[in-house]
Amino acid sequence: MSLRILGGVARGRAFSVPDSARPSGVRLRKSLFDLLAVRSPEGRFLDLHGGSGAVALEAASRGYEVMVVERDPAAVRTLTANAKALGLKALVVQGDSGAMLGHLPPHDLVFSDPPYTQDIPAFTARVLASGVVAPGGLLIAQHPIQTPLPDAEGYDLERRVYGSNALSLYTRDDEADAG
C-alpha cells in the first residue's frame, strides 16, 4: 500500500506504508494540517506512534522539525527510507513511546495515535503529565469516537470528529511552568 503527501515540499509524492500500520485517513490528515496551518504553522513536532508515517512525513513536508517514535523495527526501516526518498528531515527513533515519555524533550506539537487496543485515555493522561507538551503547545490525540478522552488540568480541550475517528486537541497553558 502507498499514500501520498498532501502538502508542502513533497506534495503529491507517494511513499510506502509498513504492513503493520493503520494510516490516518486523507480527510483527517487534511483537516489536521489545515488546522495546524492556522494555529501553529511551525515548530517542533513529535509523533509518538509513527506507524505508517503519514502524519510525521506530512509534518516534515510542511516544514516542521519532526521526531517520530516507532516500536516496530520493520516500520522504523520503512519510515527512515521514506523520509530519505522524499528528501524530508525527520528523526526516526526506535522505541516504545510510553517508556520514553519521561526522556523526550518538550515539543510544540505532539501527535498521539496509539494502537486502538491500548488504553487510550490512560496513555493520553500519561502524555499530558509527562511534560512532553511544551507550555503553549498542543497535544493532538487521535482515537475512536466511542472512546472519549478526559479533561486535564492546565489544558484546554477541543474535540473534532471525522467519521469513526476523533481528534482531541489539548492546548497547554502558556504559564504551565511559570512562577
Side-chain angles (χ1 to χ4, degrees):
M1 169 197 289
S2 69
L3 296 176
R4 292 199 179 278
I5 299 291
L6 303 173
V9 298
R11 181 180 182 184
R13 300 211 27 222
F15 61 96
S16 57
V17 176
D19 292 336
S20 63
R22 172 189 42 83
S24 297
V26 171
R27 178 177 169 228
L28 186 141
R29 283 188 290 132
K30 182 180 181 330
S31 297
L32 169 61
F33 283 96
D34 286 350
L35 174 83
L36 293 181
V38 173
R39 285 197 185 177
S40 191
E42 59 184 23
R44 297 182 64 192
F45 190 103
L46 173 62
D47 185 340
L48 289 170
H49 312 277
S52 70
V55 171
L57 294 171
E58 189 72 41
S61 179
R62 293 172 185 249
Y64 293 94
E65 181 183 332
V66 174
M67 173 188 272
V68 56
V69 177
E70 173 55 48
R71 165 174 60 197
D72 177 42
V76 168
R77 287 190 297 277
T78 302
L79 288 168
T80 302
N82 283 334
K84 184 176 180 182
L86 294 168
L88 299 174
K89 285 185 173 181
L91 175 60
V92 181
V93 178
Q94 184 176 343
D96 181 294
S97 58
M100 296 174 71
L101 276 177
H103 307 286
L104 294 167
H107 284 75
D108 306 304
L109 299 160
V110 177
F111 182 76
S112 177
D113 180 16
Y116 283 2
T117 56
Q118 188 164 351
D119 183 344
I120 297 171
F123 185 81
T124 301
R126 286 185 57 213
V127 172
L128 294 169
S130 73
V132 74
V133 180
L138 178 66
L139 168 65
I140 305 113
Q142 182 177 335
H143 55 94
I145 56 172
Q146 66 270 25
T147 306
L149 298 187
D151 290 331
E153 188 174 337
Y155 290 87
D156 291 326
L157 175 58
E158 175 185 346
R159 291 183 180 93
R160 295 183 178 225
V161 175
Y162 304 93
S164 62
N165 288 291
L167 293 179
S168 289
L169 309 166
Y170 290 88
T171 305
R172 185 172 174 186
D173 294 341
D174 282 329
E175 295 82 28
D177 288 332

